Amino acid sequence: ETEQAVNKLKAKGTMVYMAPVASRRGSWQHKLKLWASQPWQTNYQYLPGLQALNSSMGQYSGTLVAKFCPKAISPTLRAMLRDRRGFVKIREKAWPACLMGRGLRGFGWRQSARQCARLVRRHYPSWNGMMVIRRRWRYRGLRYCIAQDTPVTQDLWQKLVQDPG
């Protein structure tokens, strides 16, 4: 019955993750590894019994989230990467009021926000500004890069990264 359910899920393209809780390892693990999506090393995690699980719930929870959730990233790492990049997505599908017609500069068609940021910094290293990639404006998979020199204080930066909406 379980095997049929697993096969139905896999037929639909659903990832199957296995995290058995047992005090001893055994031959039963082989079956669960087969049921888990392949490679099983990525989609299977043995948990050594309820007592160990209860005493270290946070550790095991973190292990499972990191292993089974492909988009999981620690808040500390996210902040470090954001600060290294020097830009943050504030809002999607919106046009900031502060950009309306005030010294906007177009930087052409670009593949990514990172590429747009690099280009703006290269041409205007003194800019402490904002950039926008208009998603509606597309050309052969590229997006148009627009930027404006906008004062961004440390207080404003902290506010934007804590509450981008």
Side-chain angles (χ1 to χ4, degrees):
E1 194 171 301
T2 303
E3 189 163 5
Q4 289 175 346
V6 167
N7 289 337
K8 282 182 184 179
L9 287 170
K10 286 184 175 181
K12 291 179 183 177
T14 304
M15 293 292 294
V16 178
Y17 302 100
M18 292 288 173
V21 179
S23 55
R24 289 191 211 134
R25 296 178 184 265
S27 59
W28 53 269
Q29 288 181 284
H30 178 71
K31 190 67 157 174
L32 294 182
K33 290 175 183 177
L34 290 175
W35 288 346
S37 294
Q38 296 302 311
W40 68 265
Q41 293 87 342
T42 305
N43 301 308
Y44 175 91
Q45 179 66 48
Y46 170 75
L47 302 172
L50 286 175
Q51 188 175 359
L53 184 61
N54 287 331
S55 65
S56 301
M57 182 64 81
Q59 176 188 348
Y60 289 117
S61 298
T63 299
L64 292 175
V65 168
K67 190 168 191 171
F68 294 163
C69 299
K71 291 188 177 183
I73 184 170
S74 79
T76 306
L77 179 59
R78 185 182 308 269
M80 183 193 76
L81 293 172
R82 177 199 64 225
D83 290 341
R84 186 185 313 158
R85 272 193 323 259
F87 66 89
V88 63
K89 179 175 18 176
I90 298 170
R91 188 168 289 138
E92 203 167 330
K93 297 182 181 177
W95 186 256
C98 62
L99 288 182
M100 299 308 278
R102 296 189 187 133
L104 292 175
R105 298 193 189 214
F107 289 88
W109 301 98
R110 303 290 165 226
Q111 293 178 342
S112 68
R114 183 170 286 133
Q115 191 180 57
C116 181
R118 268 189 250 136
L119 184 66
V120 172
R121 284 191 197 107
R122 188 168 61 236
H123 286 288
Y124 297 96
S126 64
W127 273 22
N128 177 18
M130 179 183 293
M131 71 174 156
V132 176
I133 294 195
R134 289 293 304 237
R135 288 180 118 36
R136 271 189 277 169
W137 299 350
R138 291 184 183 211
Y139 175 74
R140 296 185 181 176
L142 304 175
R143 291 171 179 86
Y144 200 76
C145 175
I146 301 170
Q148 174 197 37
D149 186 18
T150 303
V152 179
T153 63
Q154 190 64 32
D155 289 341
L156 177 58
W157 175 257
Q158 288 304 317
K159 182 181 178 221
L160 291 172
V161 297
Q162 288 172 5
D163 182 23

